[in-house]
Amino acid sequence: MAGLKYMSGFGNEFSSEDPRCPGSLPEGQNNPQVCPYGLYAEQLSGSAFTCPRPANKRSWLYRILPSVKHKPFTSVPCGDLTENWNEVEPDPNQLRWLPFTIPKTTEKKVDFVAGLHTLCGAGDAKSRNGIGVHVYTCNTSMVDRCFNNSDGDFLIVPQQGEILITTEFGKMMVEPNEICVIQQGMRFSVDVFGETRGYILEVYGAHFELPDLGPIGANGLANPRDFLCPVAWYEDRKVPTGYTVINKYQGKLFACQQDFSPFNVVAWHGNYTPYKYNLKNFMVINCVAFDHADPSIFTVLTAKSTRPGVAIADFVIFPPRWGVADHTFRPPYYHRNCMSEFMGLIKGHYEAKEEGFQPGGASLHSIMTPHGPDVDCFEKNSTAELKPQRVAEGTMAFMFESSFSMAVTKWGLHTCQKLDKNYYQCWEPLRSHFNPNWKPGKQ
């Protein structure tokens, strides 16, 4: 959408006012007796009041009517959105899904909320500790409806079709190869422009932050200046027929009615905002001598647990880069992990599995489930000439990695009918190369 403006930075103290109402931000205080333009002051807290300053998140919103003005919430059907991790028996197998079906506009109109499907997850929103992985498949915009997640933060990864997200803080256009984060409690509505699909990583009880860089230094990976936050925009719109606010609360959906648009924030300031990021801006670190570095070097954002170095979830990408390692099997190594690895593909072909893993599909390698390159990848790269080459050109795969042992939902295992039952066969042709008569030679 041409003309949208943003402010740059990650976790900054931002301030913004709609240019139609200059001076709408109060000067020198947060809640004056009477706000400019007769607005209401409302604080949105993303952390406890007493959190240390580096972790303290809140914003002040100056709005035409406060969000408390609504009819009571009532329960509504959740569709395929769930927090029930015990619907089906656990499955420790390597799992791969073909691209998830997007409903045809000619068959049924499905908006973003109706098109949410939970694939896997673990933990509990009530105890504020957990994770959910969802896909969205939709074909129509939300009309006089908004969504509010009281349980946690949404990290949204569009795969097909751009999405225009209207929030209380302003508007963001998010295209494939970009991501956005809508933090807990922020109301938003999604416009689409055709058949649309993407992935969502939801975390309870923590917010996403930039990973520590350690010896990398002061710069690198996802640089703070490349994150973009919307600028204030409001509509003073009455909706006599009823505006629906959908609230995800304790894993269930509830809805309430009000007679005005919730996007009535004329001005705001604070450090608790939605934001977006273009993955092409990621400054890639890679090995330049030998061996295949651990994928943690590709971490864009992390939601930390209380254990140092252990994440509730990391968002990791596998971007275009140079491969130059000598004497090295360059693709990802064979692996068993104490973390769960969920992968998706935005575009292109993933280097470890050229076939079968398709854009709009996914895979899950659960805790301690073996995984690694298929037979074609292994054979080709075991004998390849090791000259400098571009890796993942035109491709963007990503991983949601979590310390939680994630359970797959009934929708993921059965209802979606996209589970690739033959996935295990990509490793079946692997053969032994063991030679007991091998002797050390010149390397």
Side-chain angles (χ1 to χ4, degrees):
M1 186 175 184
L4 286 185
K5 295 181 179 179
Y6 302 93
M7 298 176 285
S8 89
F10 187 88
N12 293 18
E13 284 286 342
F14 293 107
S15 64
S16 182
E17 54 185 34
D18 190 303
R20 291 172 289 177
C21 295
S24 47
L25 276 173
E27 289 187 15
Q29 64 179 121
N30 292 322
N31 54 329
Q33 185 177 22
V34 178
C35 291
Y37 294 91
L39 298 170
Y40 288 85
E42 178 177 297
Q43 184 175 197
L44 177 61
S45 292
S47 64
F49 292 140
T50 51
C51 273
R53 283 208 176 207
N56 208 301
K57 305 292 182 186
R58 58 86 188 91
S59 286
W60 282 90
L61 313 178
Y62 299 93
R63 54 196 320 151
I64 296 168
L65 282 169
S67 54
V68 73
K69 181 178 165 59
H70 64 81
K71 298 292 192 290
F73 281 103
T74 57
S75 178
V76 295
C78 295
D80 296 316
L81 195 67
T82 185
E83 198 194 277
N84 181 359
W85 311 128
N86 299 304
E87 288 180 312
V88 289
E89 289 297 305
D91 189 342
N93 288 301
Q94 301 95 349
L95 302 176
R96 182 168 69 187
W97 290 269
L98 301 172
F100 298 102
T101 301
I102 308 173
K104 299 289 184 185
T105 311
T106 52
E107 296 172 1
K108 184 181 181 182
K109 288 189 175 182
V110 179
D111 70 12
F112 176 84
V113 175
L116 289 172
H117 312 277
T118 305
L119 204 52
C120 55
D124 175 40
K126 295 188 190 76
S127 59
R128 313 290 301 115
N129 188 33
I131 178 178
V133 174
H134 319 279
V135 295
Y136 65 89
T137 54
C138 54
N139 57 33
T140 193
S141 299
M142 296 172 66
V143 178
D144 291 338
R145 279 159 55 94
C146 74
F147 187 74
N148 164 82
N149 187 355
S150 297
D151 291 338
D153 293 11
F154 269 2
L155 188 157
I156 301 173
V157 185
Q159 185 274 318
Q160 178 178 317
E162 59 190 7
I163 54 177
L164 174 63
I165 303 181
T166 301
T167 77
E168 295 170 280
F169 295 79
K171 293 173 178 276
M172 299 187 296
M173 181 68 82
V174 190
E175 302 175 359
N177 218 50
E178 294 184 312
I179 62 164
C180 72
V181 173
I182 310 292
Q183 304 195 77
Q184 181 188 12
M186 297 176 179
R187 295 181 174 181
F188 68 99
S189 183
V190 177
D191 285 0
V192 301
F193 307 91
E195 295 178 1
T196 305
R197 177 173 55 203
Y199 311 84
I200 299 175
L201 170 59
E202 180 183 17
V203 294
Y204 319 136
H207 297 301
F208 290 102
E209 53 189 279
L210 295 173
D212 296 323
L213 293 180
I216 292 175
N219 308 284
L221 307 188
N223 287 309
R225 69 188 293 248
D226 292 322
F227 288 82
L228 300 177
C229 163
V231 297
W233 175 89
Y234 77 92
E235 59 178 8
D236 184 11
R237 182 166 68 92
K238 293 290 185 184
V239 188
T241 55
Y243 193 103
T244 304
V245 178
I246 303 161
N247 181 11
K248 181 177 178 289
Y249 175 75
Q250 295 186 4
K252 304 289 187 181
L253 292 185
F254 299 83
C256 73
Q257 297 293 310
Q258 57 189 51
D259 61 0
F260 61 94
S261 167
F263 305 120
N264 62 356
V265 177
V266 176
W268 61 267
H269 75 85
N271 63 353
Y272 190 56
T273 72
Y275 55 87
K276 74 170 194 168
Y277 175 76
N278 194 320
L279 301 179
K280 74 177 184 182
N281 293 323
F282 189 80
M283 197 279 265
V284 185
I285 301 289
N286 204 8
C287 169
V288 295
F290 61 88
D291 276 353
H292 182 99
D294 294 332
S296 46
I297 60 171
F298 302 135
T299 302
V300 180
L301 292 167
T302 183
K304 294 179 178 178
S305 76
T306 55
R307 290 175 287 163
V310 180
I312 292 175
D314 287 327
F315 174 63
V316 179
I317 62 173
F318 300 93
R321 59 199 182 277
W322 281 98
V324 299
D326 289 325
H327 317 297
T328 295
F329 181 79
R330 289 179 177 175
Y333 40 71
Y334 293 99
H335 193 204
R336 289 181 296 161
N337 195 355
C338 66
M339 308 278 277
S340 300
E341 300 181 20
F342 175 91
M343 285 193 63
L345 186 61
I346 299 170
K347 59 181 179 178
H349 300 275
Y350 180 56
E351 59 183 303
K353 296 180 184 68
E354 292 284 342
E355 303 296 332
F357 187 47
Q358 302 173 37
S363 69
L364 175 64
H365 298 142
S366 297
I367 286 178
M368 291 305 169
T369 294
H371 54 279
D374 61 21
V375 63
D376 292 337
C377 177
F378 179 82
E379 296 294 344
K380 182 174 74 173
N381 286 278
S382 295
T383 57
E385 181 185 355
L386 293 179
K387 56 185 179 183
Q389 66 181 105
R390 291 291 290 171
V391 178
E393 197 67 47
T395 288
M396 187 61 76
F398 68 87
M399 177 167 65
F400 300 154
E401 185 175 57
S402 175
S403 58
F404 281 87
S405 185
M406 291 197 285
V408 183
T409 62
K410 183 179 178 181
W411 185 86
L413 284 178
H414 304 298
T415 312
C416 73
Q417 298 184 332
K418 289 297 177 181
L419 196 64
D420 182 356
K421 299 291 179 61
N422 298 319
Y423 183 30
Y424 74 96
Q425 293 178 2
C426 74
W427 296 288
E428 287 289 289
L430 287 168
R431 58 190 175 88
S432 172
H433 294 274
F434 177 63
N435 177 6
N437 298 314
W438 179 86
K439 296 290 187 289
K442 291 184 178 180
Q443 296 296 309

